[in-house]
């Protein structure tokens, strides 16, 4: 599913820019977020072709849908819950995928591993987004992931069973799409497991470093996707 010609790449570029502009107009992305999203998508297209674009698109669609879903239930007194993604937020969730696509482009002899790592990073991002956004809506009991004591929903490092399962389902969907695009073999399981592991790491970072204001949410999200990619690589090499 690689792009087969320069002309094809130009068509994809035009489509990516058009979608980014539309997302900015629909207030799903800030202008900077639109530029970053287009850059990430272009790298993914160049490095992994239509398969990578499908995975990126699936993450984006599920992410914005989950963020918009019953938004009024996610707003706490004195806070807002913006839907627009900034450039930093886009890179935090898609930057690792872009890096993996670039590595696949410059190292075609092992591009299958980088394609898998790209999928794993997006599976982790999807799991995190669905678990947090939908967990706040459908979760019944919320627990600190370190102490397992009940805490208020929405706090850093707080999880629910329902949100965790929804996040795992999101990782599974990305893994299945990866298998359809790049081949159904054991690496599909690697992607799913890595996505769940990345989401777990996100919650652990949230309960420790983010809650202490040592790092911010964008750094946590980037760490989530990076760990997802590394986990898939380790499973692949073992």
């Amino acid at each position: 599913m690689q792009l087969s010609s320069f002309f094809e790449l130009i068509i994809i570029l035009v489509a990516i820019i058009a979608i980014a502009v539309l997302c900015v107009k629909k207030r799903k992305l800030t202008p900077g977020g639109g530029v970053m999203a287009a850059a990430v998508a272009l790298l993914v297209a160049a490095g992994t072709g239509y398969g990578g674009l499908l995975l990126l698109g699936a993450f984006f669609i599920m992410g914005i849908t989950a963020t918009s879903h019953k938004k009024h239930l996610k707003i706490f007194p004195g806070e807002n819950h913006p839907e627009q993604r900034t450039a930093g937020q886009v890179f935090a969730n898609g930057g690792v995928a872009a890096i993996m696509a670039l590595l696949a482009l410059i190292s075609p002899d092992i591009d299958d591993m980088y394609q898998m790592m790209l999928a794993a990073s997006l599976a982790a991002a999807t799991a995190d987004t669905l678990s947090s956004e939908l967990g706040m809506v459908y979760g019944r009991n919320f627990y600190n992931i370190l102490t397992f004591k009940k805490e208020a929903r929405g706090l850093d490092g707080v999880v629910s069973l329902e949100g965790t399962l929804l996040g795992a389902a999101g990782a599974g969907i990305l893994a299945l799409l990866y298998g359809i695009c790049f081949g159904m073999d054991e690496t599909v399981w690697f992607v799913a497991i890595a996505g769940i592991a990345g989401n777990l790491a996100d919650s652990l970072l949230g309960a420790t470093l983010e809650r202490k204001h040592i790092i911010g949410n964008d750094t946590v999200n980037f760490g989530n996707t990076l760990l997802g990619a590394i986990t898939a690589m380790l499973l692949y090499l073992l």
Side-chain angles (χ1 to χ4, degrees), residues 44-75:
V44 168
T48 58
Y50 294 115
L53 278 178
L54 176 62
L55 296 175
L56 184 64
F59 157 66
F60 182 71
I61 291 171
M62 285 192 284
I64 62 173
T65 301
T67 301
S68 301
H69 183 64
K70 296 189 177 182
K71 180 183 174 184
H72 64 283
L73 297 178
K74 307 170 190 175
I75 299 177

Side-chain angles (χ1 to χ4, degrees), residues 80-153:
N80 57 30
H81 191 71
E83 291 185 45
Q84 281 185 294
R85 302 296 186 184
T86 65
Q89 290 172 318
V90 171
F91 183 78
N93 286 287
V96 172
I99 293 169
M100 294 304 111
L102 179 60
L103 291 173
L105 185 64
I106 63 180
S107 302
D109 53 323
I110 53 172
D111 63 349
D112 56 339
M113 184 180 74
Y114 291 128
Q115 289 167 357
M116 179 199 63
M117 293 174 70
L118 177 147
S121 74
L122 293 175
T126 302
D128 170 44
T129 303
L130 297 192
S131 64
S132 59
E133 295 291 346
L134 299 182
M136 281 195 288
V137 175
Y138 296 108
R140 295 182 180 180
N141 297 297
F142 299 86
Y143 303 91
N144 183 304
I145 194 171
L146 288 178
T147 66
F148 295 103
K149 292 181 179 180
K150 285 189 177 182
E151 291 190 357
R153 69 189 179 107

